[in-house]
Amino acid sequence: MPLPDRPKGFDDLLPDDVPRYEHVIGSFRRVAEAAGFREIRTPLLEDLGLFQRSLGEVTDVVQKEMFTVPRQEETLALRPEGTASVVRAYLAASLHKTAPFQKLYYAGPMFRAEQPQSGRRRQFDQCGVEALGSSSPLLDAEVMAVAVRSFEAMGLRNVELRVNSIGDAGDREVFRAALTEHMRAHLGARCDDCKERFTRNVFRMLDCKVPGCQPSNASAPRFLDHLGATSRARFDATLAGLTALGVEHAVDHGIVRGFDYYTHTVFELLCRDVGARSAVCGGGRYDTLISDGGGPELGATGFAIGVIPTLVALEKQGHPKAQRGEPGIDAFVAAVTEGERLPAFRLADRLRGAGLGADCDFEDKKLKAQFKQADRRGARLVVILGPEEVANGRVKIRDLRAGEDLELPDDAALPAALAARLCAPPRADGS
RNA sequence: GUGACUGUAGCUCAGUUGGUUAGAGCACCGGUUUGUGGCACCGGGGGUCGGCGGUUCAAGUCCGCUCAGUCACCCCA
């Protein structure tokens, strides 16, 4: 009987796939830790209300993309993003009282019940940072720099940073009024989706890609022109921070984030070379989320990297680390006849004890097939145990790289001798 | 939720106006080498042609339905 299919949009990562993910997440992790961020791990399930309040009731993610889990009195939800949980954990641990300034990072799976397509799955990994407890504009610059440097560390080229400011709540209302007025006047010329967006979320009209909508976007009022003096000064200070760090950036009036919690700085990292959706990272400041959650008036800023879109981009650029690979072992212990199975089994274990990656045959393969297996597994050494070797207390070794054979006594020093040989260059003849 | 496209071996695909036992490359197993990998040559196993129904003397091929996948839109890291 066949087992059920895996759910739509959920992937199996086979051993050949895992190193690619490790490359992206590992690169990010090293950059974040170097900048003083420490890892936090929060539950994959949270109370549904956490996301409804943090992301905004009317967002698509909350309205139709949540995986919910009814459980007695409460309704839990698989997290669709990372920020809400980090803020909840920060408050739950009273960090705002004991050590209000925290630089945290996370990496892990998120879930959204979307229609899967290239670079978008229902379970997907995100890695990101959250710097909580400070409103410093320099922190926005630092967070953006960490994002940019993470992609540099991964080896992804053609990444561009686009920055904008959406001000505080007051600025946003002023701007919303101005934008609504402008768009109402041009509504007839807009696409059907934009007519929908006009009532749902006017700001979204700004990043519509339909050609016919471009003229009325170009003439539209700009967020930056409607910022109050302090908001404007904040933004300038952030840009100055980026310049000080030598981080290239472009102001983009069309950057509008999807969640309600954003304030002031918002940004995206785009990678040309990627198709439909080119964003590999997005983030911004969220100065009211901590106080909305019952905490003090403390600012915060952060970003999240989409691991899958990043992998898609790396693959398109032909990055070697984006290819599939097999890690492999150091040594393979081959048994010539059935009688050496158990000795080979034991020897492999002894080699492991000396820190070598070692394995032996479990499929009753013939010697030739065991060699083939050793080669495929990336083993440099094949240790051969046959009736003669076992009788004499010796082993034969074949160095697959160097292509030479030797024989050694099977004593306590054997594992160390093999380990030493692994360190030597493949060509052992010249010395 | 909307639209387009694609389902043939483990993988990538071919299959001519419907016409005998459905093919190739890679991978796998074996042999050439009765205790030595990679390369080469030879051989072998492996397919309900996504599923159901219809047209026909005859369907992988044509028609309908269905399922699955992919890509794009909406939305969004």
Side-chain angles (χ1 to χ4, degrees):
Chain A
M1 280 291 275
L3 297 170
D5 290 337
R6 44 161 213 233
K8 178 198 285 277
F10 288 77
D11 294 334
D12 297 312
L13 293 191
L14 300 178
D16 282 354
D17 300 310
V18 172
R20 306 184 305 140
Y21 280 72
E22 282 300 310
H23 174 247
V24 169
I25 295 170
S27 300
F28 158 77
R29 186 188 297 273
R30 283 187 290 277
V31 172
E33 286 185 352
F37 290 84
R38 295 191 303 157
E39 183 171 8
I40 182 170
R41 298 189 182 188
T42 63
L44 271 57
L45 279 172
E46 296 275 5
D47 193 287
L48 174 63
L50 174 69
F51 303 116
Q52 290 174 328
R53 283 184 51 189
S54 302
L55 311 188
E57 292 275 5
V58 299
T59 55
D60 264 38
V61 169
V62 167
Q63 284 193 332
K64 45 185 208 192
E65 294 176 1
M66 290 284 224
F67 284 103
T68 56
V69 183
R71 168 84 191 163
Q72 294 171 355
E73 302 298 290
E74 57 192 356
T75 301
L76 304 178
L78 282 163
R79 61 184 188 187
E81 57 98 57
T83 304
S85 299
V86 171
V87 170
R88 183 202 48 68
Y90 172 86
L91 291 171
S94 294
L95 293 179
H96 58 292
K97 293 177 184 162
T98 58
F101 183 58
Q102 290 285 332
K103 295 169 87 170
L104 306 172
Y105 79 87
Y106 62 87
M110 309 293 166
F111 306 84
R112 293 185 199 174
E114 295 184 286
Q115 197 57 236
Q117 64 186 64
S118 176
R120 325 174 63 171
R121 319 299 300 163
R122 290 186 163 186
Q123 176 179 332
F124 54 97
D125 284 312
Q126 278 189 349
C127 47
V129 305
E130 311 290 355
L132 304 106
S134 164
S135 297
S136 168
L138 288 184
L139 208 48
D140 294 308
E142 174 169 288
V143 154
M144 287 187 263
V146 168
V148 169
R149 305 260 146 88
S150 294
F151 288 106
E152 283 172 8
M154 292 168 208
L156 186 68
R157 302 182 304 271
N158 298 334
V159 174
E160 33 183 272
L161 171 61
R162 305 267 184 98
V163 200
N164 195 16
S165 173
I166 60 173
D168 60 22
D171 299 325
R172 202 145 54 249
E173 280 324 299
V174 171
F175 178 65
R176 184 194 301 277
L179 186 63
T180 302
E181 192 180 341
H182 170 85
M183 289 301 184
R184 192 192 310 282
H186 294 83
L187 204 53
R190 305 290 297 207
C191 65
D192 289 347
D193 285 331
C194 277
K195 284 168 183 149
E196 182 71 25
R197 284 188 268 246
F198 181 73
T199 47
R200 266 178 65 81
N201 185 355
V202 221
F203 299 132
R204 280 271 153 226
M205 293 173 76
L206 288 174
D207 63 1
C208 182
K209 300 144 215 103
V210 175
C213 296
Q214 298 315 309
S216 49
N217 272 352
S219 62
R222 296 175 164 189
F223 247 128
L224 292 185
D225 300 327
H226 292 74
L227 294 182
T230 45
S231 294
R232 178 72 212 197
R234 276 200 53 87
F235 188 57
D236 290 338
T238 297
L239 296 185
L242 284 176
T243 304
L245 296 179
V247 175
E248 284 184 44
H249 58 279
V251 174
D252 184 338
H253 303 283
I255 299 289
V256 185
R257 313 268 46 241
F259 301 136
D260 285 358
Y261 55 63
Y262 285 107
T263 58
H264 297 290
T265 308
V266 289
F267 64 93
E268 286 181 8
L269 272 69
L270 311 180
C271 180
R272 305 190 294 271
D273 320 326
V274 187
R277 176 68 181 183
S278 56
V280 288
C281 174
R285 178 158 282 283
Y286 45 99
D287 280 346
T288 58
L289 201 48
I290 293 174
S291 57
D292 286 349
E297 301 260 333
L298 287 172
T301 184
F303 69 74
I305 289 170
V307 174
I308 299 177
T310 301
L311 284 170
V312 170
L314 284 169
E315 266 167 51
K316 280 226 169 101
Q317 294 184 358
H319 194 282
K321 284 286 177 53
Q323 311 305 315
R324 290 151 159 256
E326 225 176 312
I329 54 175
D330 299 313
F332 192 93
V333 185
V336 176
T337 74
E338 212 39 52
E340 292 84 52
R341 296 277 173 204
L342 192 61
F345 183 57
R346 284 172 48 203
L347 180 51
D349 187 61
R350 279 171 60 209
L351 297 183
R352 291 168 190 168
L356 274 69
D359 213 344
C360 58
D361 173 56
F362 291 96
E363 301 167 282
D364 299 331
K365 284 179 190 278
K366 307 206 303 193
L367 185 65
K368 187 184 172 74
Q370 292 183 58
F371 265 80
K372 210 170 175 182
Q373 183 68 211
D375 185 51
R376 233 196 332 261
R377 301 276 297 276
R380 174 166 167 189
L381 302 178
V382 178
V383 182
I384 305 150
L385 283 181
E388 294 170 31
E389 287 81 1
V390 170
N392 301 330
R394 300 179 72 81
V395 296
K396 284 218 171 92
I397 314 289
R398 181 169 177 85
D399 185 326
L400 296 181
R401 301 277 161 78
E404 61 181 8
D405 296 295
L406 58 154
E407 194 176 324
L408 292 174
D410 182 7
D411 55 19
L414 180 63
L418 295 182
R421 179 155 190 107
L422 284 170
C423 297
R427 290 264 184 146
D429 54 324
S431 63

